[in-house]
Amino acid sequence: MSENEQYLSSSNRITGAVVMVIGLVGLVDIVIEWRTLGGLLVAALIGVLMVVTYLGLFRPSVTLRPDGLLIRNHVRDHHVPWNRITDVDVADILRVETEGAGRIRCPGVQLVMRDLRKQRVGGRKLAAENSISRADFVVERIESHRERYAAAADPDSKVVTTWALPELIALAALLVIALVAQLLR
């Protein structure tokens, strides 16, 4: 068995980390200085923004495992057995064609528009480590895993899609807290 391989957008994670740190500083300030219903409302709204940041920038990823491909999108997870993948390509983001579930888009692997423009106009050379070559590498790894593990996969397996329940519950709870704080103010 091989190890799991995970691919995600580093630039999204860096941006997300900056936003989360700023949000954390705001929450600490509110806890120390502003213990009122207005402070609770603001803290809940900052929490909502932090959860949305996590969903949008941290969560999306593609994980290659021996039992299948795990695609974590913003609010849903797709587990795709290797024998259900029919095609893989990259347009603006990674796209996986499957039997039965259709096309699944994967924002965890995406192309940077700057690289696409450079490639289109044929101007300055692309950097050695660019988003196009990285996306092509991920496509090759998925195709390699599909060839390696598809024959051993259960023929009755299906694509399983689930919701990101912990994140959605946290988001709903923070929105309820914000609403209650607003109503009680």
Side-chain angles (χ1 to χ4, degrees), residues 21-184:
V21 167
I22 292 169
L24 188 60
V25 168
L27 286 177
V28 168
D29 181 51
I30 289 168
V31 168
I32 293 172
E33 297 291 330
W34 203 14
R35 295 185 202 134
T36 64
L37 285 176
L40 180 60
L41 173 63
V42 172
L45 291 176
I46 290 173
V48 165
L49 290 175
M50 290 175 72
V51 171
V52 169
T53 298
Y54 175 79
L55 287 172
L57 298 176
F58 274 92
R59 194 169 190 288
S61 66
V62 176
T63 304
L64 286 63
R65 307 185 314 195
D67 63 332
L69 182 65
L70 175 63
I71 301 167
R72 292 184 71 190
N73 286 344
H74 303 292
V75 293
R76 293 194 306 182
D77 295 339
H78 306 277
H79 182 267
V80 184
W82 292 114
N83 60 337
R84 296 293 175 224
I85 297 173
T86 58
D87 191 31
V88 181
D89 68 351
V90 178
D92 55 339
I93 62 175
L94 183 69
R95 301 179 306 184
V96 177
E97 288 286 339
T98 65
E99 288 179 18
R103 178 181 292 162
I104 301 172
R105 295 175 52 88
C106 316
V109 176
Q110 56 189 331
L111 299 179
V112 177
M113 288 298 124
R114 175 188 67 234
D115 291 342
L116 288 173
R117 281 191 302 270
K118 283 183 183 178
Q119 183 185 41
R120 194 172 338 135
V121 298
R124 293 173 287 162
K125 283 186 159 185
L126 289 172
E129 182 61 32
N130 64 65
S131 64
I132 295 170
S133 62
R134 179 166 167 71
D136 288 340
F137 174 76
V138 174
V139 168
E140 288 172 14
R141 293 299 300 154
I142 291 172
E143 289 174 347
S144 169
H145 274 66
R146 182 179 63 182
E147 291 171 8
R148 183 174 181 187
Y149 294 114
D154 179 12
D156 297 328
S157 61
K158 294 185 170 39
V159 175
V160 177
T161 301
T162 57
W163 291 97
L165 284 180
E167 293 88 347
L168 293 174
I169 290 170
L171 185 62
L174 288 166
L175 286 170
V176 167
I177 291 169
L179 179 64
V180 168
Q182 176 63 28
L183 291 175
L184 293 176

